[in-house]
Amino acid sequence: MSVPTDQPAIIERQHFQRLIDALIRKGYRVIGPVVRDGAIVYDELAALDDLPQGWTDEQDGGVYRLKRRADDALFGYAVGPHSWKKFLHPPHLRLWQARRNADGAEFTAETEPPPRFAFIGVRSCELHAIAIQDKVFLQGSYVDPTYQARREQAFIVAVNCGQAGGTCFCVSMNTGPQATFGFDLALTEVIEGDRHYFVAEAGTDRGAELLRELSARQAGDEERRQAAQTVARTAQQMGRTMDTHDIKALLYRNHEHPRWDDVANRCLTCANCTMVCPTCFCTTVEDTTNLTGEHAERWRRWDSCFTLDFSYIHGGSVRVSTKARYRQWMTHKLASWIDQFGTSGCVGCGRCITWCPVGIDITEEVRAIRESEAEQ
Amino acid sequence: MADPMLPEPYRIARVRRETHDTFTLELLPINSARAMSFAPGQFNMLYVFGTGESAISISGATTDERLVHTIRAVGTVTRALQRLKRGDVIGVRGPFGTSWPMQEAIGRDVVIVTGGIGLAPLRPVIYQVLAQRAQYGKFVLLYGARTPRDLLYARELEKWRGQFDCGVEITLDTADNDWRGNVGFVTALIPSAQFNPTNTVAMICGPEVMMRFTAQELRKRGMRDEQIYLSLERNMKCAVGFCGHCQYGPHFICKDGPVFRYDRIASLLGKQEL
């Protein structure tokens, strides 16, 4: 993909519907943020009114609350419990079907054409999360065909963050808040006095083409300055920080550490952190048959290293204790992921902190281990 | 690339009872003329219709027309496999994973140390060494089983033991009155085994604690970590590095293993609940 030279353009707030319409016209299923069950989640969008206009989220360890904003921002929140992996790496997926026949059995792969998604409102940390899952599913010795088909077609409209959430730490992880790659279009929402507009930047040819179709005018210097300031302000507001210096060695050499017992006393092994994490990729399989036993199916569904079954081999599970399971998750996320995929598995989105029912904070757990070494 | 998750149907050409809980399936493909090619040490995912999959090492010769798997019935899928008969069809995905260092072993002594069902993933190595005997130096097989009735491939063991150019030693954890051989851990056989430690490749497969102590004994004989290989086991759902279940520190056993050079995992072996 060549990088287009097009200058940033302006999409006025009252014209935002045109962006959604254009994507629908191109045959995309447009997915974006919607308010549902007291949270901002990602689902299909038909119209501008579906967006969480005027809503924001208040987040802390184990705390998530929607609040009204003083303005009508469309993207005035951080991130909710969903991430885009729900669409690229579906939570529940049939892998194949089998039928008994004269030869014994016949296996049939899934043939349904993959959905063409357009994602609106992808945060910078989420672009990084998608890039990380690309490494897992596309850049190893095997390719996941489901992920590949969905990923290749997806049209990505990133939205730079206008404010940080209480559990955000993308600045620590070098993953935000400014979208720098992996998007077709990147928007920055600006509300200044009675003006409400988006500064749009194309990241690909098809993004630039879409901007031309919207007849968006070129952004002025002041508008660009406002957009840059918005993102810079967000970077100053991070709710959390994590010192990632030498973090792989730190966690590897602290496989035995009293802090793991401490966190095990709080952790419920509920697996919430792994479900909301935008990079956690683990799955299990379920084999089913119909009542006659003639037809069988294999389904894949998200799994979590927090379950006891996860590490089961004959005779018992390898990771029996809560301590071992939490340690596996955090050590994988922040240390062994680097060995496996050349990148951290954490993008600093803060979801695991917010959605932990007891408010366990990965940044605090790292800090506790690091500081215990400093004391020695 | 073909979908690595989609099984191929194979028909059971023969079922062989090995011990009270262990059996061997010989399989022939339904949709192709030849069984898959594989390297010694690799494994397949065997699927029982409607029941599920289990990761099982290949235990036949690489030159076999049939795909051979020796299985111990210990779980839902392996017990379902045990109930199958000649003519039944199962699904097979594979072969997956790394293999034993057959290339590195050429021109050197080969020492195999196994425990229990761990002999099965090494039988393809034994077949290859015996078929190309001149390529290798001394050949030593040390095998430990729990009791006389747990001895796997007992007739073949006798045959191999009878060959003048094989040093085969068998030991039991618990013997009966008829047993005339060694009793004790397989590691106890290492100090007196006949091989040249500086020019040997060792391959180990058995319970993790046994492999750890075996590696230590081999090092006491003067072998370097880089000459020692072992095969690990973890829960596996996909066998291609996607499901995450088989992680062992930074390694995915399914694709970085199951066969590892000892120096690459020595620091992880023995870590509790890793």
Side-chain angles (χ1 to χ4, degrees):
Chain A
M1 255 179 280
S2 67
V3 179
T5 53
D6 301 41
Q7 294 297 305
I10 296 297
I11 302 173
E12 297 292 342
R13 154 71 182 77
Q14 63 265 33
H15 297 149
F16 200 83
Q17 179 69 43
R18 292 180 189 170
L19 174 69
I20 299 174
D21 291 342
L23 289 166
I24 292 173
R25 220 166 34 239
K26 287 173 186 291
Y28 289 107
R29 274 180 62 190
V30 179
I31 312 289
V34 299
V35 173
R36 193 199 299 146
D37 300 332
I40 292 169
V41 299
Y42 297 146
D43 206 345
E44 194 144 358
L45 296 178
L48 182 85
D49 291 344
D50 297 336
L51 292 168
Q53 178 174 308
W55 286 104
T56 192
D57 47 14
E58 193 180 82
Q59 303 197 37
D60 204 342
V63 174
Y64 179 94
R65 208 173 281 124
L66 285 188
K67 278 177 68 177
R68 273 284 168 198
R69 291 176 61 91
D71 59 28
D72 282 339
L74 299 180
F75 300 94
Y77 57 92
V79 288
H82 286 184
S83 69
W84 307 97
K85 81 172 178 183
K86 175 182 150 188
F87 302 97
L88 298 174
H89 178 49
H92 203 212
L93 176 78
R94 187 167 62 200
L95 293 174
W96 45 259
Q97 305 181 60
R99 197 168 58 82
R100 288 193 193 278
N101 64 8
D103 269 342
E106 177 184 24
F107 298 89
T108 316
E110 289 301 301
T111 49
E112 232 173 75
R116 287 181 77 220
F117 291 118
F119 300 146
I120 296 185
V122 182
R123 301 305 195 182
S124 177
C125 60
E126 299 181 311
L127 294 172
H128 283 263
I130 292 170
I132 288 169
Q133 289 211 325
D134 286 352
K135 286 183 193 275
V136 175
F137 293 123
L138 303 178
Q139 293 164 22
S141 31
Y142 294 92
V143 167
D144 177 3
T146 300
Y147 184 90
Q148 183 181 37
R150 290 167 177 236
R151 175 73 177 96
E152 277 174 356
Q153 299 193 59
F155 190 100
I156 292 180
V157 180
V159 175
N160 290 318
C161 290
Q163 70 175 62
T167 57
C168 286
F169 55 105
C170 65
V171 167
S172 298
M173 304 312 292
N174 278 320
T175 56
Q178 170 94 45
T180 55
F181 73 101
F183 55 81
D184 294 292
L185 274 186
L187 311 178
T188 309
E189 183 170 29
V190 180
I191 301 176
E192 198 59 36
D194 55 358
R195 287 208 58 202
H196 187 173
Y197 58 92
F198 294 86
V199 177
E201 184 193 344
T204 61
D205 287 340
R206 58 181 188 173
E209 185 194 310
L210 189 72
L211 276 185
R212 280 192 294 275
E213 281 175 39
L214 297 175
S215 337
R217 70 169 168 82
Q218 201 172 312
D221 286 348
E222 175 57 18
E223 290 160 329
R224 292 168 67 169
R225 202 182 59 77
Q226 288 284 358
Q229 227 173 43
T230 301
V231 187
R233 211 165 38 230
T234 303
Q236 300 302 317
Q237 295 171 349
M238 291 291 128
R240 297 288 197 274
T241 58
M242 184 192 282
D243 178 2
T244 60
H245 168 73
D246 199 28
I247 195 162
K248 187 176 94 174
L250 175 78
L251 293 178
Y252 278 173
R253 71 174 170 260
N254 284 294
H255 179 79
E256 292 301 333
H257 190 283
R259 187 69 184 190
W260 302 122
D261 294 305
D262 186 280
V263 71
N265 284 331
R266 291 171 276 137
C267 175
L268 308 174
T269 65
C270 72
N272 262 16
C273 50
T274 53
M275 296 294 110
V276 296
C277 177
T279 67
C280 271
F281 57 84
C282 289
T283 54
T284 188
V285 288
E286 288 168 345
D287 292 284
T288 61
T289 49
N290 65 354
L291 282 174
T292 65
E294 294 301 300
H295 177 89
E297 297 186 348
R298 165 159 278 220
W299 287 76
R300 182 183 80 184
R301 64 168 174 80
W302 287 356
D303 200 4
S304 170
C305 53
F306 280 90
T307 71
L308 189 55
D309 274 357
F310 190 84
S311 62
Y312 183 86
I313 40 175
H314 57 87
S317 292
V318 174
R319 293 179 212 107
V320 176
S321 66
T322 299
K323 160 187 164 176
R325 286 181 257 160
Y326 186 86
R327 179 176 60 198
Q328 163 63 22
W329 176 71
M330 195 172 109
T331 307
H332 182 217
K333 189 69 48 188
L334 297 172
S336 44
W337 208 297
I338 298 169
D339 278 332
Q340 292 168 349
F341 302 107
T343 169
S344 173
C346 177
V347 297
C349 71
R351 285 181 179 88
C352 58
I353 306 171
T354 299
W355 296 95
C356 175
V358 294
I360 293 170
D361 181 339
I362 190 170
T363 66
E364 270 306 311
E365 297 311 312
V366 171
R367 191 170 292 120
I369 291 177
R370 196 181 286 285
E371 284 175 359
S372 74
E373 283 196 341
E375 284 161 15
Q376 280 166 14
Chain B
M1 199 195 316
D3 183 351
M5 291 305 287
L6 194 67
E8 272 293 315
Y10 272 67
R11 192 179 304 284
I12 298 173
R14 179 173 182 179
V15 182
R16 195 192 287 261
R17 187 177 188 271
E18 303 286 359
T19 71
H20 59 103
D21 64 356
T22 304
F23 57 99
T24 296
L25 299 182
E26 299 180 7
L27 306 170
L28 282 168
I30 287 177
N31 296 334
S32 55
R34 281 188 53 83
M36 64 178 70
S37 23
F38 70 96
Q42 288 193 297
F43 68 95
N44 281 317
M45 299 298 286
L46 303 188
Y47 168 76
V48 182
F49 197 90
T51 302
E53 271 185 335
S54 192
I56 308 284
S57 288
I58 306 171
S59 52
T62 50
T63 49
D64 270 355
E65 270 179 33
R66 293 175 175 185
L67 184 63
V68 178
H69 287 280
T70 296
I71 302 155
R72 194 151 71 98
V74 289
T76 314
V77 175
T78 47
R79 286 199 190 95
L81 283 163
Q82 193 180 28
R83 287 193 290 271
L84 298 178
K85 297 178 177 62
R86 183 162 66 92
D88 286 343
V89 171
I90 65 171
V92 180
R93 296 194 290 128
F96 297 116
T98 55
S99 53
W100 296 111
M102 300 313 292
Q103 204 55 39
E104 290 86 333
I106 288 174
R108 300 176 200 275
D109 294 352
V110 176
V111 173
I112 291 176
V113 189
T114 68
I117 187 83
L119 180 57
L122 276 157
R123 193 167 66 164
V125 175
I126 300 172
Y127 286 147
Q128 187 159 329
V129 169
L130 296 181
Q132 299 160 19
R133 191 65 192 87
Q135 294 241 46
Y136 306 93
K138 292 195 180 94
F139 176 63
V140 173
L141 170 61
L142 310 178
Y143 175 48
R146 271 190 210 146
T147 70
R149 69 186 203 120
D150 293 306
L151 279 173
L152 190 59
Y153 309 141
R155 284 170 63 182
E156 278 182 301
L157 282 171
E158 277 310 308
K159 198 179 95 185
W160 298 332
R161 191 147 72 159
Q163 286 183 233
F164 72 94
D165 54 358
C166 302
V168 178
E169 290 284 348
I170 300 163
T171 183
L172 297 179
D173 292 350
T174 316
D176 57 14
N177 286 335
D178 296 332
W179 181 251
R180 296 279 173 269
N182 304 295
V183 177
F185 292 127
V186 72
T187 44
L189 303 176
I190 293 170
S192 56
Q194 294 296 308
F195 62 93
N196 172 9
T198 57
N199 193 36
T200 291
V201 169
M203 308 181 202
I204 318 173
C205 190
E208 258 171 57
V209 60
M210 166 266 180
M211 293 197 283
R212 193 150 54 93
F213 285 111
T214 298
Q216 286 171 15
E217 284 298 321
L218 291 169
R219 295 182 78 233
K220 279 188 209 159
R221 287 287 308 265
M223 287 187 70
R224 287 175 297 109
D225 293 354
E226 295 80 10
Q227 297 170 267
I228 303 169
Y229 292 79
L230 41 81
S231 181
L232 291 171
E233 182 186 14
R234 281 294 181 273
N235 185 309
M236 284 181 199
K237 299 295 183 195
C238 76
V240 291
F242 296 152
C243 79
H245 282 249
C246 69
Q247 286 178 79
Y248 184 66
H251 308 293
F252 290 89
I253 302 253
C254 69
K255 57 174 191 176
D256 305 324
V259 177
F260 290 93
R261 208 171 75 182
Y262 178 63
D263 58 305
R264 304 213 165 113
I265 50 158
S267 65
L268 302 177
L269 277 176
K271 277 195 177 170
Q272 292 299 307
E273 297 190 84
L274 183 65

